[in-house]
Amino acid sequence: MDVKIETSWKKNLKNEFDKEYFEYLVAFVKDEYQNYQCFPKSSDLFRAFDLTAFDDVKVVILGQDPYHNYNQADGLSFSVPKTTAVPPSLKNIFKEIETDLNIKPQTHGNLTHWAEQGVLLLNAILSVRAHNPGSHRDKGWEKFTNQVIETLSSEREGLVFMLWGGFAKKKVKLIDHKKHLILESGHPSPLSANRGYWFGNQHFSKANAYFEEKNKSKIDW
């Protein structure tokens, strides 16, 4: 099956695109986008891959599924367009960055500049029906994105995987901890953060210290 995705990802994931589950997934997604309002726009379904080529990945930040309200989902986990109010979880991410790195947080929620530096902002589920969170769960996206994580783990070295919250932490079994740095904490959502499971995790400084050890360029958070 011909999938419009960045060339290096097409090469590394080529076996997935002809599998039966992926053909079912494509048919399901096409039907949903034709009959319902879905997010992100169809041209942004693989935007995370298009902005961060396979060999350029340095960090993987895993979200669950896209924002489900208008003018929010842009194809990158946790990110929103510059004109959209910063969502609560992203506000807490910025607060942790400010405390961790002693830098002033950005005033908008667009994370394209992270993606362009090698931060793969990957949602486990890449689409959603408007105002219906989780509506595209268990349709095949999770199998595909699990394979993304496994392929990165096996084919690359020295990556940082940031696993936030119970859902993301379950992916730890897909990652070779001997080859990569795995950082786990609570989710940045207000419910988790206000219970003390998010703030103070220092994931951003830990990632940059890891890259410094390996003589790699740090991420400008």
Side-chain angles (χ1 to χ4, degrees), residues 12-168:
N12 282 280
L13 298 172
K14 61 181 183 296
N15 292 335
E16 293 304 295
F17 300 132
D18 291 323
K19 289 182 178 177
E20 187 176 347
Y21 88 86
F22 197 85
E23 293 185 11
Y24 168 82
L25 171 63
V26 168
F28 167 78
V29 170
K30 281 183 177 177
D31 184 72
E32 284 285 297
Y33 273 77
Q34 284 172 0
N35 292 291
Y36 303 96
Q37 176 74 57
C38 295
F39 302 122
K41 60 184 181 183
S42 58
S43 59
D44 283 343
L45 280 171
F46 294 111
R47 185 165 176 253
F49 303 93
D50 294 335
L51 287 175
T52 313
F54 184 84
D55 291 327
D56 294 336
V57 174
K58 296 172 70 175
V59 180
V60 180
I61 297 179
L62 189 70
Q64 196 156 354
D65 63 348
Y67 297 116
H68 55 86
N69 290 324
Y70 291 104
N71 302 316
Q72 287 188 308
D74 65 1
L76 306 177
S77 63
F78 295 100
S79 177
V80 292
K82 286 184 178 181
T83 54
T84 297
V86 179
S89 291
L90 188 52
K91 280 184 181 177
N92 285 336
I93 291 171
F94 289 163
K95 284 179 185 177
E96 177 58 26
I97 289 172
E98 182 176 19
T99 305
D100 186 19
L101 300 175
N102 194 29
I103 57 176
K104 200 168 184 179
Q106 63 187 60
T107 56
H108 61 82
N110 187 283
L111 302 180
T112 300
H113 63 296
W114 289 8
E116 291 172 342
Q117 295 177 78
V119 181
L120 181 67
L121 294 160
L122 179 67
N123 278 317
I125 303 162
L126 299 185
S127 59
V128 67
R129 194 187 293 184
H131 320 306
N132 194 349
S135 49
H136 290 184
R137 185 182 297 149
D138 298 328
K139 303 300 182 184
W141 279 132
E142 296 95 329
K143 284 185 181 180
F144 175 70
T145 53
N146 280 353
Q147 188 59 48
V148 170
I149 295 168
E150 285 193 84
T151 303
L152 283 168
S153 176
S154 63
E155 299 301 320
R156 298 286 313 282
E157 286 189 24
L159 304 185
V160 177
F161 290 85
M162 295 184 179
L163 307 181
W164 300 338
F167 177 84

